[in-house]
Amino acid sequence: MHLGSFLVKAELRGLFFTTVLPLVAERRFTLDGREYRYLWDSTGTWRSERAVELPVAIAAAHQADPYRTLEVGNVLRRYTTLGHAVIDKYERAPWIENADAETFTGGPYDLIVSVSTLEHIGFDEIPRDPDKVVRAVENLRGLLAPAGRMLATVPLGYNRDLDEALTGGALNAEVSYLSRRVQPQSWHQDSREEARMLPYGWPWGGASAIAVAWWNASAGRPSTVERPATAAGVGAPASGSYQR
């Protein structure tokens, strides 16, 4: 491909995501009373759950000290320059520490964040170990500072064992749900029951629903709390590689 042709196509892609798509689609979504702007770019985030996972995770990371932030799974560094620490069991890069989330030691951290990564832990490994993700979450929570928080986004339907652990209480998470039903780029807050019914990989590639889970530092064994969705789909205001 000639350089001129490549540059023209790149410019057209940029115009589509910055000018055309915002005119024909909703620009923002709401989760737990907070409004976020969709993240659309030429890598295809508008077609997948990345469009909503990334804004939520990036917003949380921007509110934390990058030197006291850990990311599990190398995702955000592709979209931000925050300079936080990253662990990933398989992916290689100068800023990544190759480590297993189940046994990693470090911290204390004010924020641990993970985007579409937990569903691979133990599930996409040989031999498969469905309980490993529970142990990994407990280990990571133990690395948090006393007032620290852990955030993870999880595509529902990819790993049913993890779905059950999240919604059934084994992971002790505070969980909200986002789903898309009519258009691939239109996401709305949903109930746990409705979100769990939506299939993975159909009618669009990737997830039709995601869980947005928060944890406090390990202290006791609280039950899973679902943030309720109102009739308008908005909840109350809220305070291989592991990743795809």
Side-chain angles (χ1 to χ4, degrees):
M1 179 184 296
H2 293 297
L3 178 60
S5 175
F6 175 81
L7 293 175
V8 168
K9 289 184 177 181
E11 184 174 351
L12 289 174
R13 283 197 301 270
L15 286 172
F16 175 76
F17 292 109
T18 60
T19 305
V20 178
L21 190 57
L23 293 177
V24 299
E26 298 172 345
R27 298 184 184 191
R28 299 177 183 274
F29 66 98
T30 303
L31 178 67
D32 298 327
R34 178 172 179 175
E35 194 173 69
Y36 298 87
R37 191 180 184 93
Y38 289 107
L39 196 155
W40 295 323
D41 70 5
S42 58
T43 65
T45 57
W46 70 276
R47 293 192 299 263
S48 76
E49 59 269 28
R50 285 283 195 265
V52 289
E53 291 181 305
L54 290 169
V56 172
I58 290 171
H62 273 295
Q63 293 176 345
D65 180 348
Y67 295 102
R68 291 175 62 88
T69 298
L70 173 70
E71 182 180 8
V72 180
N74 180 42
V75 177
L76 294 184
R77 281 291 197 106
R78 296 175 175 139
Y79 303 91
T80 68
T81 55
L82 292 173
H84 57 277
V86 180
I87 63 168
D88 191 299
K89 188 173 180 180
Y90 304 107
E91 193 166 333
R92 307 281 180 179
W95 60 86
I96 297 173
E97 180 175 349
N98 293 121
D100 193 311
E102 182 187 8
T103 56
F104 177 71
T105 59
Y109 299 104
D110 294 333
L111 176 69
I112 297 177
V113 61
S114 181
V115 176
S116 280
T117 295
L118 295 188
E119 69 272 15
H120 299 289
I121 297 176
F123 185 78
D124 289 328
E125 300 181 55
I126 300 175
R128 181 170 288 182
D129 182 355
D131 296 324
K132 181 176 179 180
V133 66
V134 177
R135 300 192 300 270
V137 167
E138 285 303 305
N139 178 58
L140 293 169
R141 289 180 65 199
L143 306 182
L144 290 169
R149 297 271 274 163
M150 175 172 162
L151 165 67
T153 62
V154 176
L156 295 180
Y158 182 86
N159 179 342
R160 288 297 185 184
D161 291 322
L162 177 55
D163 293 352
E164 290 297 325
L166 269 176
T167 60
L171 284 179
N172 308 302
E174 186 178 312
V175 189
S176 301
Y177 301 90
L178 287 166
S179 68
R180 51 179 174 171
R181 298 171 181 272
V182 180
Q183 296 177 314
Q185 71 277 9
S186 181
W187 293 78
H188 301 278
Q189 189 156 356
D190 212 341
S191 68
R192 173 179 59 191
E193 291 73 19
E194 294 295 325
R196 288 183 64 188
M197 291 177 62
L198 297 175
Y200 182 88
W202 186 89
W204 305 287
S208 294
I210 67 166
V212 180
W214 283 96
W215 290 266
N216 295 319
S218 291
R221 303 285 295 179
S223 337
T224 294
V225 175
E226 179 191 358
R227 294 183 187 268
T230 67
V234 179
S239 15
S241 167
Y242 268 163
Q243 58 83 28
R244 290 189 304 282

